[in-house]
Amino acid sequence: MTGIQLTDYDVDIRVQRDAAGLIASGLVLGDILAQNQALILAMHKGDLKSDVSVGVGIDRMLLDSDRLGWEREIQEQLEMDGQMVESVEVTSKEIKIKAQYI
């Protein structure tokens, strides 16, 4: 899925001007799957004012041993975003996600 790209959680804008000096384009577009997954993982419920149920809050995972619970939460959140999730694996070093927009 293509959408607006973010850089450091802000809209990525690269102004391109035409021969007359007018702005021809500015917003950077690209694949947003990994970007949206990262945002969902980083956000806490309530951070997104338009939908307060969105967010995993992975910073809360530190010292938590319920990996299956985290995998289930991540899968539910990604599915709410419209992704078809093949697998989610949480280890002590990484989170592996196999998913795509349907």
Side-chain angles (χ1 to χ4, degrees), residues 4-101:
I4 298 172
Q5 295 293 295
L6 303 178
T7 301
D8 297 327
Y9 298 102
D10 201 3
V11 178
D12 190 359
I13 300 174
R14 298 183 194 162
V15 176
Q16 301 290 320
R17 297 186 182 272
D18 63 14
L22 300 175
I23 296 175
S25 66
L27 294 176
V28 177
L29 303 178
D31 184 18
I32 57 171
L33 177 65
Q35 172 179 284
N36 288 358
Q37 290 173 345
L39 289 170
I40 290 168
L41 291 174
M43 285 191 295
H44 291 264
K45 287 177 177 42
D47 285 350
L48 185 62
K49 302 304 179 209
S50 61
D51 189 348
V52 296
S53 65
V54 173
V56 172
I58 61 169
D59 60 336
R60 296 178 302 133
M61 290 176 65
L62 186 62
L63 303 177
D64 190 337
S65 60
D66 185 14
R67 290 189 180 149
L68 290 177
W70 284 105
E71 289 173 356
R72 188 172 41 256
E73 175 70 14
I74 292 167
Q75 180 166 347
E76 288 173 3
Q77 289 290 318
L78 297 177
E79 288 173 349
M80 284 175 42
D81 185 48
Q83 298 178 37
M84 184 170 56
V85 180
E86 183 179 324
S87 66
V88 175
E89 182 183 353
V90 175
T91 69
S92 61
K93 297 184 185 219
E94 63 187 351
I95 299 172
K96 294 180 182 178
I97 297 171
K98 289 184 183 176
Q100 61 185 347
Y101 281 109

